[in-house]
Every structure is written in C-alpha cells, then in structure tokens.
Amino acid sequence: MSVPFVPPEETPPAEGSTSSAHLERADGGIWEHPMIWVSLLLFGALLGGLFFLFRFFGL
C-alpha cells in the first residue's frame, strides 16, 4: 500500500485538467422570462377563440 502524499482532510491538486473555465451566459436573454411568452401565446389563443365565437354568434 502506498503512502498518500496529501493528508486526508485536504483536497489533492488537480491532475491534468485540459478544459478551460466556461463563460457564463449574460442575464436578460430571450428565454430568461418564459411567462412573457406564455402570456403572448394565451393572448393569441384568446383572440383566436373570440374570433370564432363572434363569428358563430354573428350568423
């Protein structure tokens, strides 16, 4: 059994990591606020439903 180089309570150094740190995405992207898109979809569905409802009762 080999002798450990690092005491058990310490973290050993990284071994040969080739990846670089990734850049974080900036805040405020188009998908950051999905409730805006959901509300637009519901509003469009409501307008479409009202169109057919008014057309039905307008006959």
Side-chain angles (χ1 to χ4, degrees):
M1 188 162 139
S2 65
V3 178
F5 295 112
V6 181
E9 60 272 352
E10 293 183 17
T11 305
E15 298 178 4
S17 176
T18 59
S19 66
S20 60
H22 66 280
L23 297 174
E24 291 189 14
R25 185 170 45 110
D27 290 336
I30 193 169
W31 302 112
E32 289 291 325
H33 304 287
M35 288 308 294
I36 292 173
W37 301 109
V38 170
S39 62
L40 285 174
L41 286 171
L42 289 176
F43 182 69
L46 179 68
L47 284 179
L50 286 175
F51 171 75
F52 285 107
L53 189 68
F54 286 139
R55 194 166 169 208
F56 177 74
F57 285 117
L59 291 177

